[in-house]
Amino acid sequence: MIGHCILSHGFESGPDATKVTALADAAERLGWTHERPDYTDLDARREVSELGDVAARLQRLVDLAKHAATRGPLVLAGSSLGAWISGQVSLQVPTAGLFLMAPPIAMGRAPALQAAAVPTSIIHGWHDELIPAVQVVDWAAARNARLLLVDDSHRLSGHVQASAAAFAQLLASL
């Protein structure tokens, strides 16, 4: 085992979603173990917020990441809300790298996206209807992150393989 990846799906998505499945396949091909937590129970808790129970989602990832980090290098990857929690958790748990797909830089009353100073790779759609590309460009520039901007919307559905390839590139560089 080279290391371990925790792949966090986006809001109202799931652990079997197309993008996190493609990332899991890429990790496996490179000899990394992986897990895909299921946050659907927390996303459904609309009485907490319009994005479900984000604090509980964050805590679930912290708990999994702390355990995984004791076994070797850890890479956190996520899409949208999954990217946001991955960034936040990287500040609390030793993380070797981050892979963020369509990361929300600002999210309502929640703190702005923050992340540890680790190798970071981002893929984002120029036509993201929820998160302006310019916000992601500015955020990535401040961290010297690798940034791939593609002709796509928030779901990045036309760039699943491009996402997997960018993720594989990050893993191979660690």
Side-chain angles (χ1 to χ4, degrees):
M1 173 189 92
I2 295 172
H4 188 69
C5 306
I6 302 179
L7 313 170
S8 293
H9 65 78
F11 178 66
E12 292 187 327
S13 183
D16 296 325
T18 310
K19 287 190 304 265
V20 290
T21 299
L23 298 188
D25 293 345
E28 217 163 271
R29 280 194 301 277
L30 290 169
W32 289 70
T33 57
H34 57 82
E35 64 186 301
R36 296 181 266 176
D38 188 346
Y39 305 104
T40 53
D41 59 320
L42 303 174
D43 291 354
R45 298 192 57 203
R46 294 296 183 80
E47 72 280 4
V48 178
S49 84
E50 64 275 5
L51 294 175
D53 194 339
V54 177
R57 201 186 225 263
L58 196 59
Q59 190 58 53
R60 183 170 293 170
L61 182 55
V62 165
D63 295 343
L64 291 169
K66 280 183 176 172
H67 178 71
T70 65
R71 300 190 313 264
L74 173 66
V75 171
L76 299 176
S79 180
S80 193
L81 182 56
W84 187 87
I85 65 169
S86 295
Q88 301 299 116
V89 170
S90 74
L91 295 167
Q92 301 176 49
V93 177
T95 304
L98 279 171
F99 186 72
L100 310 175
M101 298 178 286
I105 304 306
M107 207 172 60
R109 293 186 305 275
L113 177 62
Q114 299 172 54
V118 297
T120 301
S121 185
I122 303 164
I123 184 168
H124 196 79
W126 277 115
H127 311 290
D128 190 312
E129 63 283 7
L130 301 177
I131 302 149
V134 69
Q135 289 182 1
V136 178
V137 170
D138 290 345
W139 191 88
R143 287 157 182 76
N144 297 314
R146 178 174 290 157
L147 175 60
L148 175 59
L149 288 163
V150 294
D151 182 12
D152 211 335
S153 65
H154 185 67
R155 298 186 67 79
L156 295 168
S157 52
H159 290 83
V160 172
Q161 287 314 310
S163 297
F167 183 56
Q169 194 175 18
L170 173 68
L171 293 179
S173 74
L174 297 175

